[in-house]
Amino acid sequence: MKQQLLHRTKKIAHDCVKLSLQLPNNYLSNHTKGQLIRCSTSVAANYRASCIAQTKKSFVSKLSIVIEEIDEAAFWLEFLIDENILPRELCLPFHKEASELTAIFVSSRKTASKALNAVSAENKNKSINNE
């Protein structure tokens, strides 16, 4: 699963960059282009960083950044559609992928947070019993 997600996050970054390069040259499109490129490439970079996190707490923190960035990418893709900057059909597959990745990462963060909280509670109980 980790390898698949590394591939999918890198692919959506590439896809969003290529999509952005198709935007017309005007103020709104240039702003949107910069935002979409920034957040989509951040998803790939931060997911990669989360894969080598040294602690569960660090993993959850980095995954939270991934969630924020992929959700932002979904926003900018919606924005392109809403403003009729690019054809809906061109943006929808990337928006669908961003939505799927958001759901996967939110679920993963919940699982990791539960494990982190369980370990924390267990350590708290051990320290109380040792006193």
Side-chain angles (χ1 to χ4, degrees):
M1 181 67 145
K2 180 174 98 173
Q3 288 302 319
Q4 286 178 330
L5 289 172
L6 283 166
H7 173 75
R8 286 176 73 178
T9 56
K10 190 174 180 181
K11 183 173 181 341
I12 199 164
H14 283 293
D15 290 343
C16 286
V17 167
K18 289 174 187 165
L19 183 71
S20 294
L21 295 176
Q22 297 179 47
L23 293 171
N25 188 20
N26 61 49
Y27 183 78
L28 180 58
S29 294
N30 290 338
H31 173 73
T32 306
K33 180 189 306 184
Q35 294 291 82
L36 183 57
I37 289 172
R38 184 200 54 75
C39 63
S40 64
T41 56
S42 177
V43 170
N46 281 294
Y47 181 67
R48 188 177 172 125
S50 75
C51 290
I52 59 169
Q54 294 187 358
T55 65
K56 272 246 193 269
K57 188 175 181 179
S58 178
F59 173 76
V60 169
S61 176
K62 290 176 189 328
L63 205 54
S64 294
I65 295 167
V66 172
I67 292 166
E68 288 176 19
E69 298 294 340
I70 193 65
D71 184 63
E72 184 178 340
F75 166 79
W76 289 112
L77 291 163
E78 285 174 28
F79 188 82
L80 289 172
I81 294 167
D82 293 346
E83 291 294 319
N84 295 310
I85 298 172
L86 287 176
R88 179 180 188 82
E89 312 79 51
L90 194 58
C91 300
L92 277 179
F94 307 121
H95 184 267
K96 182 178 183 262
E97 177 67 355
S99 297
E100 287 178 14
L101 288 170
T102 300
I104 290 167
F105 291 132
V106 166
S107 178
S108 182
R109 181 177 63 183
K110 283 181 186 174
T111 301
S113 292
K114 283 180 186 176
L116 185 61
N117 291 337
V119 168
S120 179
E122 185 180 314
N123 289 340
K124 191 180 282 186
N125 286 339
K126 283 181 183 177
S127 77
I128 289 172
N129 290 336
N130 288 337
E131 289 178 0

